[in-house]
Amino acid sequence: MTLQLQAFDRVGIGSQVRQSDFRKYRQVLSQSTKDTLVNDAVSCATSNFNGACGLRYIQKGSRSICSVDSYPTILVLRKIASNLSCFTRTKTGERNNLIKVLLAFLREEVGFRIYRLDVSRFFDSLSIDEATAHVKTGAVTQKTSELL
């Protein structure tokens, strides 16, 4: 992924608007409001969240879940995740291969019952050490590095 594709400008952050956002955030349906929200996201990114990004932590069982209320902040966080995910895409293939092997094993002659198979909980989606190494080597833009 080139550094130009990692830019925190109107185009880069605007590309983070998803189809599902139109259902959840009705205000995005209006083009003028959408432009305003994207501009707010760009200014949020250029100011490094003004010192805080408004993360709330919710404890659900043994898991800590983060949530954000501000749509512009969500767009910036999606852009950061998008910039970092370009380095970890190979892990998805490994996870898919593991699932195929597990399913093949479970289809053998011995009968098994699967009550719940949630392989994704056994793997981190993003290796923090790998992401930190890429940030230190300059593989991500200075802006992504500052926002992290």
Side-chain angles (χ1 to χ4, degrees):
M1 181 178 204
T2 64
L3 295 179
Q4 185 179 16
L5 295 176
Q6 296 183 29
F8 286 87
D9 57 6
R10 285 185 37 76
V11 174
I13 292 179
S15 68
Q16 300 304 311
V17 177
R18 300 178 182 160
Q19 288 291 84
S20 60
D21 292 343
F22 296 115
R23 285 185 304 250
K24 190 171 182 180
Y25 305 100
R26 291 279 185 200
Q27 70 267 27
V28 180
L29 288 170
S30 165
Q31 186 63 39
S32 62
T33 307
K34 177 182 167 186
D35 291 341
T36 302
L37 291 170
V38 169
N39 287 335
D40 290 348
V42 170
S43 63
C44 181
T46 55
S47 68
N48 292 343
F49 295 111
N50 293 322
C53 65
L55 281 176
R56 284 185 300 131
Y57 292 93
I58 303 166
Q59 196 69 25
K60 189 167 188 174
S62 63
R63 299 176 82 185
S64 202
I65 301 170
C66 299
S67 86
V68 179
D69 292 329
S70 166
Y71 186 68
T73 303
I74 290 171
L75 291 176
V76 174
L77 292 175
R78 283 181 188 167
K79 183 62 181 164
I80 293 170
S82 172
N83 288 354
L84 291 176
S85 71
C86 66
F87 301 112
T88 59
R89 290 189 188 202
T90 57
K91 295 199 182 296
T92 304
E94 293 171 11
R95 182 182 298 167
N96 291 340
N97 286 338
L98 179 61
I99 292 170
K100 286 179 186 176
V101 169
L102 282 172
L103 290 175
F105 178 71
L106 294 172
R107 286 187 187 126
E108 288 183 356
E109 294 177 16
V110 180
F112 292 95
R113 285 190 180 165
I114 301 176
Y115 294 98
R116 183 172 183 193
L117 179 62
D118 187 5
V119 176
S120 65
R121 293 186 80 184
F122 297 144
F123 299 96
D124 289 329
S125 297
L126 175 70
S127 167
I128 300 300
D129 295 332
E130 188 178 336
T132 305
H134 283 293
V135 168
K136 286 181 181 176
T137 62
V140 297
T141 61
Q142 182 66 31
K143 192 65 194 171
T144 301
S145 176
E146 288 172 8
L147 289 168
L148 288 172

